[in-house]
Structures are given as structure tokens and as C-alpha cells.
């Protein structure tokens, strides 16, 4: 075989495409196939395109761009696949191959470099971002901007997203997050808490509540120094080398503490942490260390469940529904624990929505870069949410949380309906603010 084709096959994870028998069992669970109705925008079609590129039948890789970029990466196809096709690995390598060949304009290249190399991996930069957002929200600038209608003119529908941005904590509260907190009562486990980059900057209240709930459930909680962004945003944007570097930094950081679990509260980040061993599979020493890391990596719902749950005497008498995080369900295979924790709250009635396994269309920054496609998927999701007549939508991932808030706004369901992270909901029911 020609050397360059052999190299391309390795780059594209071509071998993994051979496991696809083209049966189509994945088609009904694929949101992009269901909304766009095109074979090229289905799992089977995308796998076929990568396979054809690996066989030299497609020589211009830009043909793959639209189908690959419009994939949400929700991995529902993997869960449905009877032959165990590793779609996530195929998608990731196709994205990286396209990114390596793409010529970005100077402003876009600069922005990508700044965000991926300087902002997301830097705790300092994310802190500045969080504090800047707090100032923007509290100083009156936000109100003034909304009043003059500037935000609606921003590109990528940023005005729409600005309206659903959570209220961030003050700089004082941000800097008071403890490094260590002891279990209330008898210690059951020691957990290292993964703070994340976006979670730390924009959802620090959820992080704080997570630590508190872990301690109430019986965990000593440690916030490991030098931890960094998980690399999910990088990997999903084709910046695979950068993602590997971040994975190594996190492995080194968490190896410093002797803990039972490495706990996260964001389905997307959790999936990335959980797959560090795949990400580093080409480097023997790192692969072994990543496997150890993976074994300890858990979603917070798993750990709370292992601890026996949170003591809650009385919840709000209401109907709620649960919007699954695709990465939590399809990659980490965590589904029953969040449901168990919700069902254990007295008075709360959990109604599962139709097509619960379908992605909400958030998918990292998919809703920003592919707004129309994302909104079509969201509208379908909200149709199912409305049928449950739930007054609270509970999620386990920040992207899904914002997308649900956006769905509530689009359907004019506010203030009767709200969206909360599972941790916020549990804390509220337990009387913790
Ligand atoms: S990851 Fe999701 S959107 Fe992409 S092909 Fe699979 S099911 Fe479809
Ligand atoms: S990815 Fe799996 S389910 Fe989908 S067509 Fe291929 S073998 Fe069938």
C-alpha cells in the first residue's frame, strides 16, 4: 500500500470503520439524521465517508467537513450499535485530520490559539473571565447593553446566549472556595473534586454545592492544585494534541493525592476524563497512568449514590423531568444514579420524557457554531418536555442546562418552568443555598 494512504488510515482510525456492518440500527437515535434526513448526516453515512477516505476513494477531505462538523458527538449511535463500533474515536480522528488540513483566517486562528492555549487551560485566565462576567452583570453594563439592543446585533446569536448566562459568584466568594473539606460525620470515601474550566468560571455555585453535598454524603473532599481544563473542547474542535497535553497535566496533578475517586459534575468533562486512556493509547507509559486515572473517575451522582444518597426530608411537590447528558449516558454509561437520587426526594414526581435518549442540541459549542441545526433539535426536545408537564427540567451538564434554559425561553414557558443542574436541585431540596 502507498505510504501516504497507510498514514492517512492511521490518522483516520480507518481500522475501526471496518466494524460497521451498515445495518442502520443507529439511524433512529441520531438527532442529525432524524432532523436533516440525509444519509451523509447519519452515523453510518459519516463512517462510510471516513472509510472511503481511508481507501483513497475520496481524495479531497473537505468533502467530509459538512457531515463531520454537523455531528453533535452525542454518541447515541454507539449505545445503539450492535457491533460495538467506536464512533467517538472515528469522529475525533476525522475532526483532527480536518483541522490539520484547514487554513483558518488570521483572526480565527488567533482566537482559537488564545482560547485553546491561553484561556481554557489557565485557572488564572478563567478566574479573570468569571470575575469580568460578574462585573458585567452587577455594574449595570449588562442592563445598559440590553436596553440599547446592542447584544442582538452580535454575531453567532451571542445576544440569545447572553440572556441565559447564569449569575456568576462575586470575586470574594470565588476566592473563598476551600482546598479541603472534611466529611460530615463518619468518612466513607476521599474524593478529589474536578473543578473544570467553564464550571469554575461560570457555574462556581454548582461546584460549591457539589463539594458541600459530597461532604454531607460522607466524603472528605480535596481540590487538587494544578488541575486544568479536561480538554473536551479541544478534542471536539480537532485540537487533539492540545487535549493530550491537558490530559497529561491532569494525570500528574491528581496523582499527587491519594483518593478513592476523582469526581466531576459535568457530563461532557466527565466523559473526557473517563476516556483519557483512549486519548493516550499510543504512549505506553501514559496509557497505563491514564487507565489508573479512569478507574477513579466518577460522576458526582455515582459517588452520592455509593454513599447512600443525601438525607432529604421533604421536596417540592412538583413534576420534574430529567434531560440526560449524552456524554454521561453514552460514554460513562451513567443513567440510573441521577434518576435514583431524584426519585428518593419525597413529594417529587419524576416523569421521563419521550425520546429521552435524544441529544438536546447543545453539544459543547455546537449550538453556537451550528445555531439553526441546534435549534431544530432543541425544538423537538422541548415538544417532548412539554408533554411531561414538568415544572423543573433537571440536567447533569452545564451545556444541557443552558440549552434547556434557552428552550424554556423559546417556548415562553418561563417562569412556570425552570431548568436546574441535578446538584442545585438536590441542594435546594436539602435546604442548602
Ligand atoms: S454522535 Fe450523535 S449526531 Fe453524531 S452520528 Fe452519532 S448519534 Fe448522530
Ligand atoms: S454504526 Fe453500528 S448500528 Fe450504525 S450502521 Fe454501523 S454497525 Fe450498524
Amino acid at each position: 500500500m502507498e505510504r501516504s494512504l497507510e498514514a492517512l488510515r492511521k490518522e483516520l482510525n480507518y481500522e475501526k470503520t471496518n466494524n460497521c456492518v451498515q445495518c442502520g440500527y443507529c439511524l433512529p437515535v441520531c438527532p442529525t439524521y432524524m432532523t436533516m434526513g440525509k444519509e451523509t448526516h447519519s452515523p453510518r453515512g459519516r463512517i462510510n465517508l471516513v472509510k472511503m477516505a481511508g481507501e483513497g476513494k475520496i481524495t479531497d477531505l473537505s468533502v467530509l467537513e459538512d457531515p463531520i462538523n454537523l455531528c453533535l458527538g452525542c454518541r447515541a449511535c454507539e449505545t445503539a450499535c450492535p457491533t460495538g463500533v467506536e464512533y467517538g474515536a472515528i469522529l475525533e480522528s476525522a475532526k483532527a485530520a480536518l483541522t490539520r488540513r484547514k487554513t483558518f483566517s488570521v483572526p480565527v486562528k488567533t482566537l482559537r490559539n488564545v482560547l485553546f492555549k491561553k484561556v481554557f487551560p489557565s485557572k488564572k485566565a478563567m478566574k479573570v473571565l468569571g470575575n469580568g462576567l460578574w462585573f458585567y452583570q452587577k455594574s449595570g453594563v449588562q442592563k445598559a447593553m440590553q436596553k440599547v439592543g446592542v447584544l442582538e446585533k452580535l454575531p453567532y446569536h451571542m445576544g440569545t446566549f447572553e440572556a441565559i448566562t447564569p449569575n456568576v459568584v462575586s470575586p470574594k466568594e470565588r476566592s473563598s472556595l476551600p482546598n479541603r473539606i472534611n466529611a460530615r460525620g463518619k468518612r466513607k470515601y476521599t474524593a478529589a473534586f474536578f473543578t473544570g474550566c467553564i464550571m469554575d468560571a461560570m457555574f462556581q455555585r454548582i461546584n460549591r454545592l457539589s463539594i458541600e453535598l459530597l461532604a454531607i454524603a460522607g466524603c472528605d473532599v480535596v481540590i487538587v492544585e494544578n488541575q486544568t481544563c479536561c480538554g473536551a473542547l479541544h478534542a471536539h474542535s480537532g485540537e487533539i494534541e492540545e487535549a493530550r497535553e491537558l490530559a497529561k497535566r491532569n494525570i500528574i496533578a491528581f496523582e499527587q493525592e491519594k483518593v478513592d475517586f476523582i469526581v466531576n459534575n459535568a457530563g461532557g468533562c466527565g466523559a473526557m476524563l473517563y476516556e483519557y486512556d483512549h486519548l493516550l493509547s499510543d504512549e505506553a507509559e501514559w496509557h497505563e497512568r491514564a487507565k489508573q486515572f479512569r478507574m477513579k473517575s466518577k460522576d458526582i451522582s455515582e459517588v452520592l449514590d455509593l454513599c447512600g444518597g443525601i438525607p432529604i426530608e421533604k421536596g417540592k411537590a412538583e413534576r420534574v423531568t430529567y434531560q440526560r447528558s449524552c456524554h454521561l449516558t453514552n460514554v460513562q454509561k451513567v443513567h440510573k444514579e441521577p434518576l435514583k437520587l431524584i426519585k428518593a426526594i419525597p413529594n417529587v414526581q419524576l416523569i421521563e420524557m419521550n425520546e429521552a435518549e435524544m441529544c438536546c442540541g447543545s453539544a459543547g459549542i455546537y449550538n453556537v457554531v451550528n445555531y439553526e441545526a441546534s435549534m431544530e433539535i432543541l425544538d423537538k426536545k422541548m415538544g417532548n418536555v412539554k408533554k411531561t408537564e414538568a415544572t423543573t427540567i433537571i440536567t447533569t451538564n452545564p451545556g444541557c442546562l443552558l440549552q434547556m434554559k434557552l428552550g424554556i425561553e423559546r417556548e415562553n414557558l418561563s417562569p412556570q418552568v425552570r431548568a436546574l443542574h441535578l446538584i442545585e436541585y438536590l441542594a435546594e431540596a436539602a435546604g442548602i443555598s
Side-chain angles (χ1 to χ4, degrees):
M1 195 198 315
E2 204 185 309
R3 266 180 96 94
S4 58
L5 195 58
E6 201 179 325
L8 182 65
R9 285 188 175 191
K10 195 166 185 300
E11 190 184 359
L12 289 175
N13 252 323
Y14 168 80
E15 284 304 316
K16 293 192 191 293
T17 67
N18 289 329
N19 293 335
C20 175
V21 294
Q22 301 283 303
C23 65
Y25 283 174
C26 53
L27 301 188
V29 301
C30 175
T32 56
Y33 179 69
M34 294 310 281
T35 50
M36 297 171 196
K38 288 188 198 168
E39 180 69 17
T40 48
H41 293 59
S42 76
R44 180 173 68 183
R46 290 173 174 123
I47 292 167
N48 215 13
L49 287 171
V50 174
K51 192 176 168 70
M52 285 167 80
E55 289 168 356
K57 292 174 187 157
I58 290 176
T59 47
D60 177 7
L61 284 199
S62 67
V63 172
L64 274 65
E65 264 184 26
D66 200 36
I68 292 294
N69 291 340
L70 280 169
C71 170
L72 293 145
C74 67
R75 317 258 296 258
C77 45
E78 270 187 28
T79 299
C81 179
T83 64
V85 172
E86 292 173 67
Y87 178 79
I90 298 168
L91 174 69
E92 208 160 76
S93 48
K95 280 201 168 174
L98 291 173
T99 304
R100 278 182 208 113
R101 286 159 182 78
K102 194 163 176 73
T103 316
F104 293 104
S105 65
V106 174
V108 172
K109 197 175 170 186
T110 311
L111 185 66
R112 283 177 71 98
N113 271 338
V114 170
L115 287 177
F116 290 133
K117 295 187 177 159
K118 307 274 183 230
V119 178
F120 296 134
S122 161
K123 267 191 152 330
K124 227 180 190 174
M126 292 310 288
K127 189 174 160 185
V128 170
L129 200 72
N131 289 343
L133 193 54
W134 174 82
F135 179 78
Y136 168 74
Q137 290 175 339
K138 298 290 167 196
S139 63
V141 178
Q142 182 178 36
K143 278 201 183 113
M145 297 275 274
Q146 285 168 345
K147 209 168 168 189
V148 292
V150 177
L151 299 166
E152 283 133 44
K153 297 192 175 71
L154 292 176
Y156 290 108
H157 303 270
M158 289 320 260
T160 311
F161 292 104
E162 192 268 356
I164 49 150
T165 308
N167 284 332
V168 299
V169 300
S170 70
K172 192 173 167 209
E173 199 179 334
R174 179 179 301 283
S175 58
S176 66
L177 194 72
N179 285 334
R180 198 170 279 268
I181 173 166
N182 292 333
R184 311 263 195 279
K186 194 173 176 296
R187 185 189 72 83
K188 295 173 187 161
Y189 300 105
T190 302
F193 184 70
F194 180 76
T195 52
C197 59
I198 303 285
M199 285 305 292
D200 201 31
M202 287 173 62
F203 298 90
Q204 216 211 28
R205 180 172 172 268
I206 299 178
N207 275 359
R208 184 181 293 274
L209 292 173
S210 299
I211 294 166
E212 185 90 359
L213 289 183
L214 284 167
I216 289 172
C219 294
D220 279 353
V221 188
V222 188
I223 314 294
V224 171
E225 260 193 64
N226 299 329
Q227 59 174 298
T228 184
C229 162
C230 66
L233 290 170
H234 302 74
H236 300 163
S237 305
E239 302 286 347
I240 205 76
E241 282 77 20
E242 209 64 39
R244 288 196 183 109
E245 284 314 305
L246 293 174
K248 289 176 185 172
R249 277 174 59 186
N250 273 327
I251 291 169
I252 295 170
F254 283 91
E255 280 175 346
Q256 307 305 310
E257 292 281 351
K258 213 167 164 273
V259 295
D260 300 301
F261 307 122
I262 298 164
V263 185
N264 74 84
N265 58 9
C269 305
M272 190 69 199
L273 302 175
Y274 193 67
E275 293 201 317
Y276 274 179
D277 57 337
H278 288 291
L279 188 67
L280 298 170
S281 59
D282 286 344
E283 300 173 66
E285 189 219 331
W286 282 107
H287 189 213
E288 269 318 302
R289 289 166 77 175
K291 273 201 227 163
Q292 299 301 319
F293 186 97
R294 175 193 176 128
M295 277 159 63
K296 289 185 180 176
S297 184
K298 298 243 178 269
D299 181 71
I300 189 164
S301 62
E302 292 178 279
V303 178
L304 293 178
D305 182 48
L306 278 171
C307 290
I310 299 289
I312 297 170
E313 281 174 19
K314 198 175 153 202
K316 189 177 171 201
E318 66 167 342
R319 277 173 168 240
V320 304
T321 193
Y322 174 56
Q323 167 52 31
R324 303 180 193 189
S325 148
C326 297
H327 284 104
L328 184 62
T329 313
N330 300 322
V331 182
Q332 298 173 77
K333 309 289 181 203
V334 175
H335 176 54
K336 65 178 190 318
E337 290 85 351
L339 296 177
K340 209 171 146 190
L341 291 167
I342 299 167
K343 283 179 188 162
I345 306 172
N347 298 329
V348 172
Q349 196 187 353
L350 174 68
I351 313 287
E352 282 247 54
M353 67 180 90
N354 292 339
E355 298 179 325
E357 71 287 351
M358 281 275 179
C359 179
C360 63
S362 163
I365 53 166
Y366 186 95
N367 51 2
V368 177
V369 292
N370 298 305
Y371 184 78
E372 274 76 24
S374 167
M375 291 307 112
E376 203 176 328
I377 293 164
L378 174 60
D379 292 345
K380 201 165 187 288
K381 172 63 67 183
M382 291 310 293
N384 286 321
V385 166
K386 283 199 285 188
K387 282 186 198 144
T388 67
E389 296 180 12
T391 44
T392 302
I393 311 167
I394 302 174
T395 78
T396 45
N397 186 56
C400 312
L401 179 58
L402 293 180
Q403 185 83 338
M404 287 298 98
K405 285 180 191 257
L406 192 54
I408 290 169
E409 292 307 316
R410 282 172 73 83
E411 299 286 339
N412 286 320
L413 298 175
S414 175
Q416 290 80 13
V417 181
R418 61 182 183 158
L420 292 180
H421 190 287
L422 172 67
I423 292 304
E424 293 177 288
Y425 198 72
L426 290 174
E428 181 183 274
I432 303 162
S433 58

